[in-house]
Amino acid sequence: KQEVTQIPAALSVPEGENLVLNCSFTDSAIYNLQWFRQDPGKGLTSLLLIQSSQREQTSGRLNASLDKSSGRSTLYIAASQPGDSATYLCAADQGGSEKLVFGKGTKLTVNP
Amino acid sequence: GAGVSQTPSNKVTEKGKYVELRCDPISGHTALYWYRQSLGQGPEFLIYFQGTGAADDSGLPNDRFFAVRPEGSVSTLKIQRTERGDSAVYLCASSQVAGGNNEQFFGPGTRLTVL
């Protein structure tokens, strides 16, 4: 059974700082790992999808890496801005299944 | 449409009542998923459709929950005899291709409150 853990649960940083969010998963037989952003009271916005054959994906100031053998993924945010404040969720599929298993998220606050 | 849409955005009902939640996926997406999110938690999987059929309903908590997708597009999640513990945000997602590498896109959710 896939289990996803995100550390830290909350993070507060000053504007401009580079930061790393961590995600670990127990079942390495995944097809995809997906990072999402969730603003308060809103749905999930897909940020990056890393396929099992890939090591990393980049979109703008975001870079996500995947190490299947160790069951870890990281989301790197460069030059953070107050608009980056949100909860970031990591989700991995359960090998052979389409369903995503989510972590509890990291609540990020970027202070001006 | 441009994105996944869900109606209603909010639903307040009384314990024991029946509710229906609707999801309209991105046009052309064959796969549709329902998740439930409680406060402070990540979403939890409920059911997945490939076309009109439920390919995986292992996340439905009990037989009070049922979902349909009769024409392979819009889906309805139905909850009978609602309980206070059913209160949560119900999220719908869709993806273009099921199996292998598929990116799931989420709707804004329906916040269900059972009094």
Side-chain angles (χ1 to χ4, degrees), chain A residues 31-32 34 36 38 41-44 46-49 51-52 89 93 97-100 102-104, chain B residues 33 35 37 40-43 45 48 56 58 91 98-108 111:
Chain A
Y31 289 130
N32 302 287
Q34 202 166 345
F36 296 88
Q38 186 171 34
K42 304 293 185 183
L44 278 63
S46 178
L47 297 174
L48 289 165
L49 171 76
Q51 300 173 3
S52 60
L89 292 156
D93 59 39
S97 167
E98 306 302 328
K99 62 185 179 185
L100 290 177
F102 284 81
K104 292 185 178 182
Chain B
Y33 313 79
Y35 293 83
Q37 186 175 26
Q41 304 294 315
F45 170 80
Y48 149 61
D56 183 352
S58 62
L91 296 165
N101 306 316
N102 71 94
E103 185 174 5
Q104 296 186 25
F105 296 90
F106 281 74
R111 181 176 298 278

Side-chain angles (χ1 to χ4, degrees), chain B residues 8-19:
Chain B
S9 55
N10 281 283
K11 177 69 177 180
V12 180
T13 191
E14 294 179 344
K15 180 175 178 291
K17 299 290 188 181
Y18 168 83
V19 296

